[in-house]
Amino acid sequence: MTVDALEQQFRRLIRNAEHVVPEDDLLERLREGRPLRVKLGLDPTAHDVTLGWAVPLRKLRQFQDEGHTAVLIVGDFTARIGDPSGRSITRPRLSPEVVRANAEACVTMLLDILREDHLEVRYNSEWLEPLDLEDILGLTSHFTVAQMLERNDFAARFKEQRPISLIEFLYPLCQAYDSVAVKADVELGGNDQLFNLLVGRDLQQAHGQRPQIALTMPLLEGLDGVQKMSQSLGNYVSIRDRPTEMFGKLMSVPDGLIGRYAALATDLDNEGVAELEEASRIGGPRAGRAKRAMARAVVGLYHGTDAAGEAEAAFDRQFKEHQAPEEMAEATLPAGAVDGSSVYLPGVLSDLGLASSRGEARRLIAQGGVRVDGETVVDEQVQVERLRGSVVQVGKRRFVRLI
RNA sequence: GGCGGGAUACCCUAGCGGCCAAAGGGAGCGGCCUGUAAAGUCGCCGGCUAAUGCCUACGGAGGUUCAAAUCCUUCUCCCGCCA
């Protein structure tokens, strides 16, 4: 490979990265011309791939495309122990079978992004399970409490006098040991993983290995624009969301995030990203158009450009022309709800999951948030004929067709 | 191990015998506005087909009282100081 080509590969690989520690070592290893072992850890309790999680995954895919080996570490052992992080109640321990099944489902989903060649999937129980206490004490001896407290969230919790379980100190060690076990050249992760990745370097060195390069990707903010995208917060887009849903969710993102999404969740080049970012700063209709372009690019990435175009058209039908969407959930009128010729609508709404309770449904109706075939419902009792075959809408985006 | 403090709805927090389904803030939801953005604005925000009604709920279990989120006992968990 020419020096130039190498340099370009290097630029591609570090593009958008938040930290590359140390950068020059990555270039050096690329020069060796061998496939690098690029590790990425996977928590098998997650069951959906969000756009946020896709950021490091897509980076891993880039490495694959350059001929390097993706080493996917399934944290089956650690999942079995349960992470007591923060104040959250200790997760129930999962049985090995359940973890395994989850993990396999996860890996399958990851193949939406990763390629099947240049891929190595490893379960960390393979090397963590056989460790005995002596081995574990040996691992801990390489680190000090002060080192552990360097980690931001530990430092913060310590300062605020919130509990830190000892087991939490062991997690970075387990993860670091994974790096030793698979002889990683590079480990990828979200930026919140930086500390753990650096622990991996130290531990590899302690085991006489060349320390891995830690490459972290920015954490993508969720739809709310504030917190990081996560399944538990419900502010996420799944890469398996239907095109229309994906497009719609992306259109609800705050303006300030357009550039960020464009950079991290699309395959637009730097100029394209800069253009959208600029437009989003200007605001007004230009920002709206920039957001559309971003949404189209994301949907296009996972569903193809045709689907993206259709999603945008469907979006306009629904929100500019206020037509019901073409595809929506269908449901039958719950039999119990019918009383003679009229129906108690709050009961129907809560049975269909459009409202969390009958009281909630009644409130929605009272506030004018419920429509049948586009017409705002005023009364709680509704004629059966009016409902049969109708489209029931709650709020702006929840639709169900009754059949 | 000793002593002290604490656990309130999704989160943070007030209440400290009846006026408490529980103040305030955040999050969330709905209407208007709009670019399904932000800001703004009006409203909702435990459940029950009306209710000045009933049920469930202030960490768990008991108790005192006509009446308990509030008092007592005990258990669990958290925090602090001392060791």
Side-chain angles (χ1 to χ4, degrees), chain A residues 325-360:
Chain A
E326 276 169 13
E327 46 177 80
M328 66 178 87
E330 297 195 336
T332 50
L333 199 56
V338 183
D339 177 25
S341 65
S342 83
V343 173
Y344 181 64
L345 192 55
V348 176
L349 295 179
S350 90
D351 287 354
L352 295 180
L354 290 170
S356 58
S357 70
R358 292 168 175 226
E360 164 82 14

Short mmCIF file of all heavy atoms in Angstrom, two decimals, chain A residues 325-360:
data_model
loop_
_atom_site.label_atom_id
_atom_site.label_comp_id
_atom_site.label_asym_id
_atom_site.label_seq_id
_atom_site.Cartn_x
_atom_site.Cartn_y
_atom_site.Cartn_z
N PRO A 325 -52.06 8.02 7.89
CA PRO A 325 -50.97 7.30 7.22
C PRO A 325 -51.52 6.07 6.49
O PRO A 325 -52.60 5.58 6.81
CB PRO A 325 -50.07 6.89 8.38
CG PRO A 325 -50.93 6.92 9.58
CD PRO A 325 -51.97 7.97 9.33
N GLU A 326 -50.76 5.63 5.49
CA GLU A 326 -51.23 4.47 4.72
C GLU A 326 -51.20 3.20 5.53
O GLU A 326 -52.14 2.43 5.56
CB GLU A 326 -50.38 4.31 3.47
CG GLU A 326 -50.89 5.21 2.36
CD GLU A 326 -49.91 5.28 1.20
OE1 GLU A 326 -48.99 4.44 1.15
OE2 GLU A 326 -50.09 6.17 0.36
N GLU A 327 -50.06 2.99 6.18
CA GLU A 327 -49.99 1.77 6.96
C GLU A 327 -50.10 2.09 8.43
O GLU A 327 -49.49 3.03 8.92
CB GLU A 327 -48.69 1.02 6.66
CG GLU A 327 -47.46 1.89 6.66
CD GLU A 327 -46.21 1.06 6.43
OE1 GLU A 327 -45.93 0.72 5.26
OE2 GLU A 327 -45.54 0.75 7.41
N MET A 328 -50.94 1.35 9.10
CA MET A 328 -51.08 1.57 10.54
C MET A 328 -51.56 0.26 11.15
O MET A 328 -51.98 -0.66 10.46
CB MET A 328 -52.09 2.69 10.81
CG MET A 328 -53.50 2.34 10.41
SD MET A 328 -54.64 3.67 10.80
CE MET A 328 -54.53 4.68 9.35
N ALA A 329 -51.48 0.22 12.46
CA ALA A 329 -51.90 -0.98 13.17
C ALA A 329 -53.40 -1.18 12.95
O ALA A 329 -54.15 -0.21 12.83
CB ALA A 329 -51.60 -0.83 14.65
N GLU A 330 -53.80 -2.42 12.89
CA GLU A 330 -55.22 -2.70 12.76
C GLU A 330 -55.66 -3.45 14.00
O GLU A 330 -54.89 -4.17 14.61
CB GLU A 330 -55.49 -3.56 11.52
CG GLU A 330 -55.11 -2.84 10.24
CD GLU A 330 -55.68 -3.51 9.01
OE1 GLU A 330 -55.95 -4.73 9.09
OE2 GLU A 330 -55.88 -2.81 8.00
N ALA A 331 -56.91 -3.24 14.36
CA ALA A 331 -57.42 -3.93 15.54
C ALA A 331 -58.91 -4.12 15.38
O ALA A 331 -59.56 -3.38 14.65
CB ALA A 331 -57.14 -3.12 16.80
N THR A 332 -59.41 -5.14 16.03
CA THR A 332 -60.86 -5.33 16.02
C THR A 332 -61.45 -4.62 17.22
O THR A 332 -60.79 -4.47 18.24
CB THR A 332 -61.23 -6.82 16.07
OG1 THR A 332 -60.49 -7.39 17.16
CG2 THR A 332 -60.89 -7.53 14.80
N LEU A 333 -62.66 -4.20 17.07
CA LEU A 333 -63.37 -3.55 18.16
C LEU A 333 -63.52 -4.58 19.28
O LEU A 333 -64.08 -5.64 19.06
CB LEU A 333 -64.74 -3.11 17.64
CG LEU A 333 -65.50 -2.04 18.43
CD1 LEU A 333 -64.66 -0.79 18.59
CD2 LEU A 333 -66.80 -1.74 17.72
N PRO A 334 -63.00 -4.28 20.47
CA PRO A 334 -63.13 -5.26 21.54
C PRO A 334 -64.61 -5.57 21.80
O PRO A 334 -65.41 -4.65 21.95
CB PRO A 334 -62.51 -4.55 22.75
CG PRO A 334 -61.65 -3.48 22.17
CD PRO A 334 -62.29 -3.07 20.88
N ALA A 335 -64.93 -6.84 21.80
CA ALA A 335 -66.33 -7.26 21.89
C ALA A 335 -67.01 -6.72 23.14
O ALA A 335 -68.15 -6.28 23.11
CB ALA A 335 -66.42 -8.79 21.84
N GLY A 336 -66.29 -6.74 24.22
CA GLY A 336 -66.89 -6.34 25.49
C GLY A 336 -67.31 -4.88 25.53
O GLY A 336 -68.13 -4.48 26.35
N ALA A 337 -66.74 -4.09 24.65
CA ALA A 337 -66.98 -2.66 24.72
C ALA A 337 -68.35 -2.26 24.18
O ALA A 337 -68.90 -1.23 24.54
CB ALA A 337 -65.89 -1.91 23.95
N VAL A 338 -68.88 -3.10 23.29
CA VAL A 338 -70.12 -2.73 22.63
C VAL A 338 -71.30 -2.92 23.57
O VAL A 338 -71.46 -3.96 24.18
CB VAL A 338 -70.32 -3.58 21.36
CG1 VAL A 338 -71.57 -3.13 20.63
CG2 VAL A 338 -69.10 -3.46 20.46
N ASP A 339 -72.12 -1.90 23.66
CA ASP A 339 -73.31 -1.96 24.50
C ASP A 339 -74.47 -1.48 23.65
O ASP A 339 -74.70 -0.29 23.51
CB ASP A 339 -73.11 -1.05 25.73
CG ASP A 339 -74.36 -1.01 26.60
OD1 ASP A 339 -75.14 -1.98 26.54
OD2 ASP A 339 -74.54 -0.01 27.30
N GLY A 340 -75.17 -2.45 23.04
CA GLY A 340 -76.25 -2.09 22.13
C GLY A 340 -75.67 -1.41 20.90
O GLY A 340 -74.78 -1.96 20.25
N SER A 341 -76.11 -0.22 20.62
CA SER A 341 -75.64 0.45 19.40
C SER A 341 -74.54 1.43 19.69
O SER A 341 -73.96 2.01 18.79
CB SER A 341 -76.82 1.17 18.74
OG SER A 341 -77.26 2.21 19.60
N SER A 342 -74.22 1.65 20.97
CA SER A 342 -73.15 2.60 21.25
C SER A 342 -72.00 1.94 22.00
O SER A 342 -72.13 0.86 22.55
CB SER A 342 -73.69 3.80 22.03
OG SER A 342 -73.76 3.50 23.41
N VAL A 343 -70.89 2.62 21.96
CA VAL A 343 -69.66 2.07 22.50
C VAL A 343 -69.06 3.09 23.45
O VAL A 343 -69.09 4.30 23.18
CB VAL A 343 -68.66 1.82 21.34
CG1 VAL A 343 -67.30 1.40 21.89
CG2 VAL A 343 -69.20 0.78 20.39
N TYR A 344 -68.50 2.60 24.56
CA TYR A 344 -67.82 3.50 25.49
C TYR A 344 -66.38 3.64 25.02
O TYR A 344 -65.55 2.76 25.20
CB TYR A 344 -67.89 2.91 26.90
CG TYR A 344 -67.22 3.79 27.93
CD1 TYR A 344 -67.70 5.06 28.20
CD2 TYR A 344 -66.11 3.35 28.62
CE1 TYR A 344 -67.09 5.88 29.12
CE2 TYR A 344 -65.49 4.16 29.56
CZ TYR A 344 -65.97 5.42 29.80
OH TYR A 344 -65.36 6.22 30.72
N LEU A 345 -66.09 4.75 24.38
CA LEU A 345 -64.81 4.94 23.72
C LEU A 345 -63.58 4.86 24.64
O LEU A 345 -62.58 4.24 24.27
CB LEU A 345 -64.81 6.25 22.94
CG LEU A 345 -63.66 6.46 21.96
CD1 LEU A 345 -63.57 5.31 20.96
CD2 LEU A 345 -63.78 7.78 21.24
N PRO A 346 -63.61 5.45 25.84
CA PRO A 346 -62.42 5.32 26.69
C PRO A 346 -62.01 3.87 26.93
O PRO A 346 -60.82 3.55 26.96
CB PRO A 346 -62.85 6.00 27.99
CG PRO A 346 -63.87 7.00 27.57
CD PRO A 346 -64.61 6.34 26.44
N GLY A 347 -63.02 3.00 27.06
CA GLY A 347 -62.72 1.58 27.25
C GLY A 347 -61.98 1.03 26.05
O GLY A 347 -61.00 0.30 26.18
N VAL A 348 -62.46 1.40 24.88
CA VAL A 348 -61.83 0.92 23.64
C VAL A 348 -60.39 1.42 23.55
O VAL A 348 -59.46 0.66 23.27
CB VAL A 348 -62.63 1.40 22.41
CG1 VAL A 348 -61.93 1.00 21.12
CG2 VAL A 348 -64.05 0.83 22.43
N LEU A 349 -60.20 2.69 23.82
CA LEU A 349 -58.86 3.28 23.71
C LEU A 349 -57.88 2.60 24.65
O LEU A 349 -56.74 2.33 24.28
CB LEU A 349 -58.91 4.78 24.01
CG LEU A 349 -59.70 5.63 23.02
CD1 LEU A 349 -59.68 7.09 23.44
CD2 LEU A 349 -59.17 5.48 21.61
N SER A 350 -58.35 2.32 25.87
CA SER A 350 -57.40 1.70 26.79
C SER A 350 -57.18 0.23 26.43
O SER A 350 -56.07 -0.27 26.53
CB SER A 350 -57.83 1.91 28.24
OG SER A 350 -58.65 0.88 28.69
N ASP A 351 -58.22 -0.44 25.95
CA ASP A 351 -58.04 -1.83 25.53
C ASP A 351 -57.06 -1.92 24.35
O ASP A 351 -56.31 -2.88 24.23
CB ASP A 351 -59.38 -2.46 25.11
CG ASP A 351 -60.25 -2.75 26.32
OD1 ASP A 351 -59.76 -2.56 27.46
OD2 ASP A 351 -61.41 -3.15 26.15
N LEU A 352 -57.10 -0.94 23.48
CA LEU A 352 -56.24 -0.97 22.30
C LEU A 352 -54.84 -0.45 22.61
O LEU A 352 -53.99 -0.41 21.74
CB LEU A 352 -56.85 -0.13 21.17
CG LEU A 352 -58.17 -0.64 20.60
CD1 LEU A 352 -58.65 0.30 19.50
CD2 LEU A 352 -58.02 -2.05 20.06
N GLY A 353 -54.64 0.00 23.85
CA GLY A 353 -53.31 0.49 24.20
C GLY A 353 -53.06 1.91 23.73
O GLY A 353 -51.94 2.39 23.76
N LEU A 354 -54.09 2.60 23.26
CA LEU A 354 -53.93 3.98 22.82
C LEU A 354 -53.91 4.92 24.02
O LEU A 354 -53.53 6.08 23.90
CB LEU A 354 -55.05 4.37 21.86
CG LEU A 354 -54.99 3.70 20.49
CD1 LEU A 354 -56.26 3.95 19.70
CD2 LEU A 354 -53.79 4.19 19.71
N ALA A 355 -54.36 4.41 25.16
CA ALA A 355 -54.29 5.19 26.40
C ALA A 355 -53.97 4.20 27.50
O ALA A 355 -54.31 3.02 27.42
CB ALA A 355 -55.62 5.88 26.67
N SER A 356 -53.28 4.68 28.55
CA SER A 356 -52.81 3.75 29.56
C SER A 356 -53.91 3.34 30.53
O SER A 356 -53.78 2.36 31.24
CB SER A 356 -51.64 4.36 30.33
OG SER A 356 -52.05 5.58 30.91
N SER A 357 -54.98 4.10 30.57
CA SER A 357 -56.11 3.73 31.43
C SER A 357 -57.35 4.40 30.88
O SER A 357 -57.27 5.24 29.99
CB SER A 357 -55.86 4.20 32.87
OG SER A 357 -55.93 5.61 32.93
N ARG A 358 -58.48 4.00 31.42
CA ARG A 358 -59.71 4.63 30.95
C ARG A 358 -59.74 6.11 31.34
O ARG A 358 -60.21 6.95 30.58
CB ARG A 358 -60.91 3.91 31.56
CG ARG A 358 -61.02 2.53 30.97
CD ARG A 358 -61.98 1.64 31.68
NE ARG A 358 -62.03 0.40 30.89
CZ ARG A 358 -63.14 -0.22 30.55
NH1 ARG A 358 -64.29 0.22 30.97
NH2 ARG A 358 -63.08 -1.30 29.82
N GLY A 359 -59.23 6.39 32.53
CA GLY A 359 -59.20 7.77 32.98
C GLY A 359 -58.36 8.62 32.03
O GLY A 359 -58.75 9.72 31.64
N GLU A 360 -57.21 8.07 31.64
CA GLU A 360 -56.33 8.75 30.70
C GLU A 360 -57.07 8.99 29.38
O GLU A 360 -57.00 10.06 28.80
CB GLU A 360 -55.09 7.87 30.48
CG GLU A 360 -54.23 8.22 29.28
CD GLU A 360 -53.27 9.36 29.54
OE1 GLU A 360 -53.09 9.72 30.72
OE2 GLU A 360 -52.74 9.91 28.56
#
